[in-house]
Amino acid sequence: MSLSALPGNYSDHVPLLFRSANAFDCGPKPFRSVDAWWEHEGFKKFVSDSWITACEKSSDLTSRLKELRLSIKGWNQNVFGDQNKRIQELSEEIFRKEALVDVNMFSEDERMVIGDLKADLWAVEKRIQSINNLISSIQVEEATYTNPSDIRGYIRDFFKSLYRQQNGINFDLSRLVFEKITEEQATGLIRQFSEEEIFKAPVSCGERKASGPDGFNFYFYRRAWRFMKDVIQGFFEDFHSSNFLPKGINTSFMVLIPKMAGSANIKDYRPISLVNGFFKLLSKTLSLRLAPLLTKVISESQHAFLKGRSVR
């Protein structure tokens, strides 16, 4: 074990680095698109060219997305660079320049240079914050666990117990009266998908929400729409004509979201399912079609109940 001082960066405090010989295996790290990639001047053209190449190599949608991920991984490593390394380089440069204050007074130009370096450092650290999001410890009852294998095991056991099937649930639907939609409304639900309708899906959702197994969020699809829209529309057309989904498109990740910031108690997390981008586009587009008709098929009592819950 060791303890050492680090450069102060843009703070007037000196951070201390503690190193331990313990090494944890957190498992494979899935691909995840980084919003900051789009700030790089050459990224948009690179993605466009890579997508064309992926489409030329295969007609399978899942294979195309896999090929695109591999290309972007290489670009991230060779062009965008290691952001942790960039933080270290900027921190050391700021440290060297600020150390000169012990022997010389800062000129206005030097202050501006240091200010620019600190701004760059802040931007890179924000990127790191958007990439790193993990559970480093979990509290179960009175015990706290930090080993990844323990964390995985206790999380699995907790939610397995919480969501186990209950016995003796009885219900009767025979006395319920269901409203009906008109023939015209029914036809509208199964009409062909237009480009404008499909594009409303990523526009209407939070574009920076976490991505699913494909690694691409709506922020990515909105910016790649110009050169990916033909394939996306083809995916919708195939689904409309055959009710078919390409293999692997409807896979999902189960992840935990903290109900309160900073909590490590397992009871303060809720599980959500992160689905692939194409599947999310489809489900969101279908939900936007259905939304205007919900008041037609939900009874007044149920509507009042749902309205009361939303108010509370």
Side-chain angles (χ1 to χ4, degrees), residues 151-259:
I151 292 174
R152 287 194 292 265
Y154 280 103
I155 287 175
R156 180 180 61 249
D157 293 343
F158 175 80
F159 286 103
K160 182 178 180 180
S161 173
L162 184 64
Y163 293 117
R164 67 179 181 270
Q165 184 174 357
Q166 302 291 328
N167 296 322
I169 299 178
N170 299 316
F171 56 89
D172 180 14
L173 303 180
S174 61
R175 291 180 292 177
L176 292 181
V177 178
F178 292 96
E179 298 293 333
K180 296 181 180 180
I181 60 176
T182 66
E183 191 68 31
E184 182 181 0
Q185 290 169 335
T187 302
L189 287 175
I190 58 173
R191 68 180 184 274
Q192 284 281 2
F193 298 97
S194 66
E195 177 185 342
E196 292 75 17
E197 183 183 19
I198 300 171
F199 189 63
K200 285 181 181 179
V203 171
S204 63
C205 282
E207 59 180 14
R208 297 180 186 271
K209 288 186 177 181
S211 53
D214 63 350
F216 301 114
N217 58 9
F218 275 179
Y219 186 90
F220 182 94
Y221 283 114
R222 283 186 63 173
R223 278 144 190 81
W225 183 264
R226 183 180 60 81
F227 49 84
M228 292 187 74
K229 64 179 182 180
D230 290 342
V231 173
I232 293 175
Q233 284 185 267
F235 163 75
F236 273 78
E237 290 171 2
D238 290 343
F239 173 77
H240 184 271
S241 61
S242 64
N243 299 327
F244 172 77
L245 289 174
K247 184 179 179 180
I249 287 297
N250 63 338
T251 56
S252 62
F253 280 155
M254 293 298 296
V255 299
L256 298 181
I257 302 298
K259 299 177 183 177

Side-chain angles (χ1 to χ4, degrees), residues 66-286:
K66 181 179 180 180
E67 183 69 25
L68 181 61
R69 288 196 297 271
L70 291 174
S71 298
I72 294 178
K73 280 184 178 180
W75 178 90
N76 179 58
Q77 181 177 358
N78 300 320
V79 179
F80 195 69
D82 186 339
Q83 297 300 290
N84 288 303
K85 182 180 178 181
R86 180 61 176 155
I87 285 179
Q88 181 179 356
E89 292 172 347
L90 287 168
S91 299
E92 291 175 351
E93 182 66 17
I94 293 171
F95 182 73
R96 283 193 297 269
K97 290 187 177 299
E98 289 188 332
L100 296 176
V101 77
D102 293 335
V103 293
N104 296 308
M105 293 293 293
F106 277 154
S107 68
E108 189 60 32
D109 289 342
E110 288 172 332
R111 290 184 184 277
M112 291 180 64
V113 170
I114 292 177
D116 291 341
L117 289 172
K118 290 185 176 182
D120 291 342
L121 178 62
W122 181 85
V124 176
E125 290 194 339
K126 291 297 289 183
R127 293 171 191 164
I128 291 293
Q129 290 176 14
S130 70
I131 297 171
N132 296 326
N133 186 15
L134 54 85
I135 298 175
S136 57
S137 65
I138 200 77
Q139 179 184 344
V140 182
E141 301 299 338
E142 300 300 325
T144 300
Y145 303 92
T146 58
N147 187 290
S149 60
D150 291 336
I151 292 174
R152 287 194 292 265
Y154 280 103
I155 287 175
R156 180 180 61 249
D157 293 343
F158 175 80
F159 286 103
K160 182 178 180 180
S161 173
L162 184 64
Y163 293 117
R164 67 179 181 270
Q165 184 174 357
Q166 302 291 328
N167 296 322
I169 299 178
N170 299 316
F171 56 89
D172 180 14
L173 303 180
S174 61
R175 291 180 292 177
L176 292 181
V177 178
F178 292 96
E179 298 293 333
K180 296 181 180 180
I181 60 176
T182 66
E183 191 68 31
E184 182 181 0
Q185 290 169 335
T187 302
L189 287 175
I190 58 173
R191 68 180 184 274
Q192 284 281 2
F193 298 97
S194 66
E195 177 185 342
E196 292 75 17
E197 183 183 19
I198 300 171
F199 189 63
K200 285 181 181 179
V203 171
S204 63
C205 282
E207 59 180 14
R208 297 180 186 271
K209 288 186 177 181
S211 53
D214 63 350
F216 301 114
N217 58 9
F218 275 179
Y219 186 90
F220 182 94
Y221 283 114
R222 283 186 63 173
R223 278 144 190 81
W225 183 264
R226 183 180 60 81
F227 49 84
M228 292 187 74
K229 64 179 182 180
D230 290 342
V231 173
I232 293 175
Q233 284 185 267
F235 163 75
F236 273 78
E237 290 171 2
D238 290 343
F239 173 77
H240 184 271
S241 61
S242 64
N243 299 327
F244 172 77
L245 289 174
K247 184 179 179 180
I249 287 297
N250 63 338
T251 56
S252 62
F253 280 155
M254 293 298 296
V255 299
L256 298 181
I257 302 298
K259 299 177 183 177
M260 57 184 70
S263 177
N265 193 307
I266 196 169
K267 296 180 180 179
D268 292 332
Y269 287 87
R270 61 183 177 89
I272 64 170
S273 178
L274 301 179
V275 299
N276 274 320
F278 272 69
F279 188 82
K280 197 172 187 178
L281 283 170
L282 175 61
S283 60
K284 183 61 179 179
T285 302
L286 291 174

